[in-house]
Amino acid sequence: MNKFGFTLSVPRVIDYDKNDRSVADLIAAKEPTFRLCIECGTCAATCTAGNFTDFSLREINVLLRRGENEAAAEKINRCMLCGKCILVCPRGVNTRNVLFIARETLSKTNGHERL
Amino acid sequence: MNSMVDVLVIGGGVAGMEAAGQLARSGYSVILAEKEPLTGGHLKNWYHLFPDRRDGNEVGEYLDNLVKNKNIEIRNNTCITGITGRKGKFTATASDGQVVEAEAVIVATGFDLFDSRRKEEYGYGIYPNVITSADLEKMFRNGSVKLADGGVPARIGFIHCVGSRDEKVGNLYCSKLCCITAVKQAMEVHEKISGVKTFCFYMDMRMGGAYYEEIYREAQEKYGVSFIRGKVSEVSQGYNGRLVIKAEDTLAGRPLRMELDMVVLMAGMEMSDAGEILAGKSSLRRGENRFFSTADNHTASNRSNMKGVFYAGTCTAPMNITESISHARAAVTEVVSYLREKKQRDE
Amino acid sequence: MNEPDKKRIWSEYQKEIADDHYFYVRSCIRQSFFPGSEQFFLHLIRDILGKDIYENPSHTTCTGIGYHTDIVPFQTIMTVVARHFALMKESGYKNIAISCVTSFGIYTEIIETWKHFPEELEKTREYLLKATGREFDIPENMAHTSDIVYKFRNEIASKAKFRLVNKKTGEPLKVVEHIGCHYSKMFPKYGVGGAEFPKVLSGMIEAWGGEVIDYPERRHCCGFGFRQYIVQANRGYSLSNSVKKFESMKPFKPDFIITNCPGCNMFMDKWQYTIREMEGRTYGENGLSIPVLTYEEVAGLVLGMNPWELGLQYHMVQPEPLLDKMGVEYSKSDKFITKDGKPLPAPEKLINV
């Protein structure tokens, strides 16, 4: 409430204990290579969408693993599914499938179709 | 007790035992001085070794057998505090007054683990469930990983670089083995506690050894160890008694807060106290990292600034067991050449 | 917590605190926000402990708030501080006793600057001489006044009329200690106990019978931050930091908060009113708020002083619940009258009453 000309700031901290990591767990179960990501950023470097929009698959991986699902859901539809990221990933992550499952799961958990 | 031998080896850890054993095999007489009641050094405290996770005792047994040699006299409880002399004859004195005379000396005083209490913000010694990597090895040896109250931890965090790469404690260098130790320990925790969650908080993952990166991958793939890039800034205790850590998840670009049952501090390696004492009572030079400085980084990493005094192992820099053994063997090669040349000159 | 190791940390940060003959420098804001604190400190040092303490009427603000809000340049504040040192020299004192943590931080920062950059010291000498004709010496001993109360905590305990104990249950009172950031975070060596586990306030609490709470956000800044507060639109940021602390300490059910910094005390006190008005949230037991006291006020209560003479009624969060727990007697009718019976202005919207 803004009673005195200012309001409380929204905490930026990732509160790991309060977050829901079930989406990440589900992705890891369906696409085990998801676990192998070391956040090197090769996928994001080569990404068509990332060159023009605020989209980084590396960042989305981190957000999902920490249970920051809202933040991930907001960005995830910018991917054009070209698949270049699979070619460059040094850890053999099936990046396209990770993104696919994430989209599917997030659209369900958010209660409306996002695809 | 006054005695004259070919070589005095100072320090009965991995490097010292290997050096003494190899010299004895070549027929040289050796005194192996160890400050503790038993030889074996830090290796005695390690459970499984990376990368293959074999039992540390196997390597210990190899070394024990190696030094069972009539040419080696092991002097336990003997802390050499000074070396004097020049090429040809060195006199070493021990804290209990013993004097050893030798034609050549190998310094293998090793390392000490960083005293984690110096990182006050982590509360080691204050919060009972903040432990060190060495404490965890002891728990593995004793067969179970337990909290101070006897409970089973559900979440364990590993903090890398405790006492390494940290200007605040005066150690700018990387201890090199803590990353791989954390990965190994995280995996072992999973084998001992089913369903446990583990988190490694790292600044950089430094997997620079044979099969290290493969273990890192295995830890992710098979055990689901979480790696969070960001150094923990402080540990405290919540109302429920669980530890609370603060870090930045640097890859998300946001601060992160998490409750943990146990925090393991990956203590780095420092020049040993024994090495410090010896350096103080001899003219041996040390580097900016306080370890002994070698005559040449590339081509003479076993030679000191005193002709006839050589180095083996972690008294010169952090090393793993493989490297310590290799470095000790290299020191033996140097000593053998030195003694042969000396003999030729004397004749 | 493991006491022996905490003691070990504390023993590594033992600063020398002068025993007598203090040159006292006041805070700008403490005299208006908690008017009894400095007055009681002088009474404690002079009359109860029998020491010599002197204040020079020509002493001014250190300009610390101006410095931290980018209004006063560093050279200027160095010269102002040098003038204080000159007043000390002229008065024949060598031990400075600083009432404010902001000032204490300024003094330590300046003295460290002079150590590392002697040319800055020489320039400051020149500026002061040109501007005022005065010369100065660097103090032989520099203490925050909480250091001095810490030093005499056991003498105070031996003269105590009340202990920090719940009279009904016999349990020690649970106390949150909050150290001002500029007391030891910039230079841990200048603070008793260092920066991670400071001893200065917790030592008092333990000596006087209370129990210190170690809660997760103990080391977090109160959020004051000078420029963040000065601009009204930014105050939510300042408030949010205090709220983060309140949320973290709430489950521990603290009986009161003790502080050694004017800013922290003011904000931890007044923000409890603000958040209650804005969001309806309170952090004490039974919908009450947590009293926030200065170390002088706590020492005064322990020594049996009248709470209204200590000025406790001028905090936003009123102290009565704490006084009741300690068994301190107080008169409701005397709360807002002067010693000679004249009415004092009573603040509006006090909480905990």
Side-chain angles (χ1 to χ4, degrees):
Chain A
M1 191 170 86
N2 184 347
K3 183 169 180 173
F4 301 106
F6 52 89
T7 55
L8 278 173
S9 310
V10 180
R12 285 185 70 248
V13 68
I14 298 173
D15 194 333
Y16 195 84
D17 303 302
K18 288 192 182 145
N19 281 1
D20 167 25
R21 283 172 305 282
S22 61
V23 177
D25 291 345
L26 193 83
I27 298 169
K30 289 188 176 174
E31 180 50 68
T33 61
F34 176 58
R35 288 176 160 181
L36 283 170
C37 174
I38 50 170
E39 314 294 345
C40 68
T42 328
C43 53
T46 203
C47 177
T48 312
N51 271 278
F52 300 99
T53 66
D54 175 19
F55 175 78
S56 156
L57 188 56
R58 180 201 63 74
E59 188 193 14
I60 284 172
N61 275 351
V62 177
L63 293 171
L64 291 170
R65 285 166 166 196
R66 307 292 177 254
E68 293 283 319
N69 301 337
E70 290 280 314
E74 196 188 308
K75 297 178 173 178
I76 205 159
N77 286 326
R78 292 169 199 162
C79 168
M80 295 187 268
L81 299 172
C82 73
K84 182 76 201 304
C85 46
I86 303 180
L87 296 179
V88 294
C89 177
R91 280 298 191 100
V93 179
N94 187 342
T95 46
R96 202 162 173 269
N97 199 29
V98 165
L99 190 112
F100 231 61
I101 302 165
R103 271 193 188 177
E104 194 180 46
T105 317
L106 286 170
S107 66
K108 278 183 199 153
T109 54
N110 286 332
H112 54 87
E113 192 61 41
R114 297 180 79 107
L115 281 169
Chain B
M1 208 171 0
N2 202 330
S3 36
M4 177 80 183
V5 285
D6 293 331
V7 186
L8 165 66
V9 177
I10 305 173
V14 170
M17 290 171 86
E18 177 69 26
Q22 297 299 346
L23 284 166
R25 279 173 70 185
S26 302
Y28 293 93
S29 63
V30 179
I31 285 180
L32 176 60
E34 166 54 46
K35 67 179 180 353
E36 301 292 329
L38 285 172
T39 52
H42 293 278
L43 177 60
K44 295 195 296 286
N45 306 321
W46 307 150
Y47 173 56
H48 286 165
L49 308 180
F50 45 81
D52 52 9
R53 298 183 40 216
R54 71 189 300 186
D55 193 325
N57 285 339
E58 288 175 25
V59 176
E61 279 163 29
Y62 154 79
L63 291 168
D64 285 339
N65 288 331
L66 191 68
V67 295
K68 271 182 209 150
N69 187 309
K70 63 177 170 44
N71 293 333
I72 301 178
E73 183 195 336
I74 298 174
R75 291 201 189 164
N76 290 320
N77 301 308
T78 302
C79 182
I80 301 292
T81 54
I83 317 170
T84 53
R86 296 193 57 236
K87 43 185 177 171
K89 192 175 169 191
F90 294 96
T91 305
T93 45
S95 52
D96 61 359
Q98 282 182 63
V99 175
V100 176
E101 288 180 325
E103 291 191 48
V105 177
I106 291 182
V107 175
T109 44
F111 70 94
D112 282 350
L113 274 183
F114 173 78
D115 178 1
S116 297
R117 295 183 304 176
R118 281 168 59 200
K119 287 299 285 176
E120 292 165 16
E121 58 269 44
Y122 296 151
Y124 180 61
I126 290 176
Y127 303 120
N129 292 318
V130 176
I131 64 169
T132 65
S133 39
D135 297 333
L136 185 58
E137 289 292 313
K138 265 181 226 148
M139 288 190 186
F140 288 146
R141 271 253 176 270
N142 296 335
S144 66
V145 178
K146 291 269 170 70
L147 297 171
D149 66 1
V152 179
R155 255 195 214 170
I156 303 179
F158 294 83
I159 304 179
H160 292 222
C161 301
V162 176
S164 308
R165 305 177 70 196
D166 186 349
E167 193 195 82
K168 285 285 185 295
V169 297
N171 294 343
L172 299 185
Y173 56 87
C174 166
S175 292
K176 207 167 96 164
L177 308 171
C178 330
C179 281
I180 180 69
T181 304
V183 172
K184 181 210 79 138
Q185 291 190 332
M187 287 162 64
E188 282 173 339
V189 159
H190 279 274
E191 285 170 2
K192 302 233 179 283
I193 306 168
S194 79
V196 71
K197 300 273 183 210
T198 52
F199 304 86
C200 287
F201 293 91
Y202 67 96
M203 299 205 287
D204 292 293
M205 287 300 288
R206 297 197 162 175
M207 295 283 119
Y211 297 108
Y212 288 9
E213 184 68 19
E214 287 86 337
I215 299 185
Y216 176 22
R217 194 182 163 106
E218 188 186 351
Q220 289 180 301
E221 192 167 27
K222 192 170 157 197
Y223 297 88
V225 178
S226 296
F227 291 87
I228 299 177
R229 186 174 177 277
K231 187 159 177 174
V232 171
S233 72
E234 64 182 56
V235 178
S236 50
Q237 205 165 21
Y239 186 66
N240 56 12
R242 287 182 108 186
L243 298 164
V244 181
I245 59 99
K246 285 186 184 180
E248 190 197 17
D249 188 329
T250 60
L251 297 168
R254 284 170 52 195
L256 179 138
R257 176 198 179 280
M258 185 191 283
E259 286 186 1
L260 294 164
D261 298 304
M262 179 182 270
V263 166
V264 184
L265 307 178
M266 306 313 299
M269 296 160 88
E270 287 189 321
M271 173 70 159
S272 66
D273 280 346
E276 299 262 358
I277 292 167
L278 190 61
K281 293 261 178 71
S282 67
S283 55
L284 292 171
R285 280 196 208 115
R286 293 197 289 156
E288 276 179 33
N289 60 7
R290 302 192 306 282
F291 289 98
F292 287 116
S293 65
T294 60
D296 185 299
N297 283 332
H298 305 99
T299 61
S301 73
N302 295 102
R303 282 185 222 158
S304 74
N305 56 302
M306 287 170 77
K307 204 165 163 48
V309 178
F310 300 88
Y311 296 130
T314 55
C315 63
T316 61
M319 286 181 195
N320 65 17
I321 290 168
T322 313
E323 290 161 342
S324 293
I325 288 177
S326 305
H327 199 243
R329 287 183 189 167
V332 168
T333 313
E334 292 271 21
V335 169
V336 168
S337 308
Y338 168 80
L339 289 177
R340 278 199 188 133
E341 283 162 19
K342 181 173 167 286
K343 200 175 168 194
Q344 281 162 6
R345 268 201 315 276
D346 292 348
E347 283 162 3
Chain C
M1 280 208 283
N2 184 337
E3 283 306 312
D5 261 64
K6 248 198 326 184
K7 286 191 178 112
R8 178 193 54 76
I9 289 180
W10 294 330
S11 67
E12 284 177 13
Y13 293 98
Q14 287 305 312
K15 64 187 270 187
E16 202 181 313
I17 303 162
D19 188 47
D20 202 348
H21 305 298
Y22 306 105
F23 184 79
Y24 188 47
V25 291
R26 287 189 184 242
S27 145
C28 302
I29 64 171
R30 299 188 84 213
Q31 296 159 70
S32 42
F33 287 116
F34 3 100
S37 292
E38 293 191 335
Q39 203 52 37
F40 173 72
F41 178 76
L42 292 172
H43 171 61
L44 169 72
I45 299 298
R46 284 189 184 129
D47 308 323
I48 301 176
L49 299 170
K51 308 277 175 187
D52 166 42
I53 187 162
Y54 172 76
E55 44 175 345
N56 188 311
S58 301
H59 169 253
T60 67
T61 172
C62 75
T63 69
I65 292 178
Y67 171 63
H68 285 301
T69 45
D70 285 351
I71 296 165
V72 174
F74 194 45
Q75 280 77 11
T76 308
I77 195 168
M78 284 198 290
T79 313
V80 171
V81 166
R83 183 177 165 276
H84 295 168
F85 292 160
L87 295 176
M88 184 173 76
K89 181 186 167 92
E90 289 160 19
S91 315
Y93 284 82
K94 287 170 179 170
N95 306 325
I96 198 159
I98 305 161
S99 173
C100 170
V101 161
T102 301
S103 298
F104 182 76
I106 295 289
Y107 281 66
T108 53
E109 191 180 342
I110 288 173
I111 286 179
E112 283 295 305
T113 303
W114 289 345
K115 265 189 211 162
H116 292 276
F117 304 94
E119 67 277 13
E120 291 296 323
L121 173 61
E122 289 318 306
K123 264 193 259 171
T124 309
R125 287 192 194 283
E126 194 188 317
Y127 295 151
L128 185 70
L129 193 66
K130 276 187 187 161
T132 67
R134 294 177 196 269
E135 291 182 13
F136 69 97
D137 294 330
I138 295 172
E140 280 182 11
N141 186 277
M142 183 167 62
H144 185 257
T145 47
S146 61
D147 294 333
I148 298 170
V149 174
Y150 168 80
K151 186 180 176 80
F152 297 114
R153 68 196 184 284
N154 294 325
E155 279 92 324
I156 293 170
S158 69
K159 297 176 200 293
K161 296 224 166 56
F162 298 96
R163 285 170 58 75
L164 300 177
V165 169
N166 187 319
K167 210 177 170 188
K168 271 190 200 145
T169 63
E171 295 286 315
L173 293 179
K174 283 177 275 179
V175 187
V176 158
E177 47 94 36
H178 179 80
I179 309 291
C181 292
H182 289 184
Y183 172 73
S184 61
K185 281 181 189 162
M186 291 193 293
F187 302 103
K189 65 178 178 182
Y190 284 124
V192 177
E196 297 292 342
F197 294 93
K199 174 78 170 166
V200 62
L201 295 179
S202 62
M204 294 178 205
I205 296 308
E206 282 162 13
W208 304 336
E211 182 187 318
V212 178
I213 289 170
D214 182 17
Y215 63 107
E217 298 297 348
R218 178 174 55 81
R219 292 170 260 193
H220 198 77
C221 169
C222 75
F224 173 24
F226 303 100
R227 78 190 71 187
Q228 286 77 5
Y229 174 73
I230 303 290
V231 179
Q232 186 188 20
N234 292 347
R235 285 179 196 164
Y237 167 75
S238 177
L239 172 66
S240 302
N241 281 295
S242 289
V243 165
K244 189 176 166 78
K245 289 183 73 76
F246 295 143
E247 301 278 356
S248 174
M249 71 178 75
K250 186 176 181 174
F252 294 84
K253 296 181 180 158
D255 293 302
F256 70 96
I257 299 169
I258 183 172
T259 68
N260 72 342
C261 173
C264 307
N265 192 293
M266 182 170 113
F267 284 94
M268 293 179 86
D269 179 43
K270 289 176 177 42
W271 282 148
Q272 286 191 75
Y273 160 79
T274 307
I275 193 71
R276 186 171 170 264
E277 289 289 307
M278 281 169 67
E279 309 281 336
R281 294 190 220 166
T282 54
Y283 298 97
E285 279 184 282
N286 309 318
L288 294 174
S289 297
I290 311 167
V292 189
L293 274 60
T294 69
Y295 53 95
E296 295 107 323
E297 289 167 345
V298 178
L301 282 181
V302 164
L303 288 167
M305 290 282 293
N306 178 340
W308 310 143
E309 277 184 40
L310 286 170
L312 300 189
Q313 65 277 44
Y314 285 99
H315 289 287
M316 213 63 203
V317 180
Q318 293 299 289
E320 281 89 342
L322 171 65
L323 302 178
D324 294 339
K325 283 178 196 165
M326 286 175 70
V328 173
E329 286 177 13
Y330 53 91
S331 149
K332 278 181 189 163
S333 56
D334 289 352
K335 193 168 173 182
F336 290 107
I337 57 166
T338 62
K339 278 183 189 170
D340 42 3
K342 289 178 194 153
L344 278 166
E348 287 175 35
K349 297 184 177 179
L350 296 174
I351 48 180
N352 272 14
V353 283

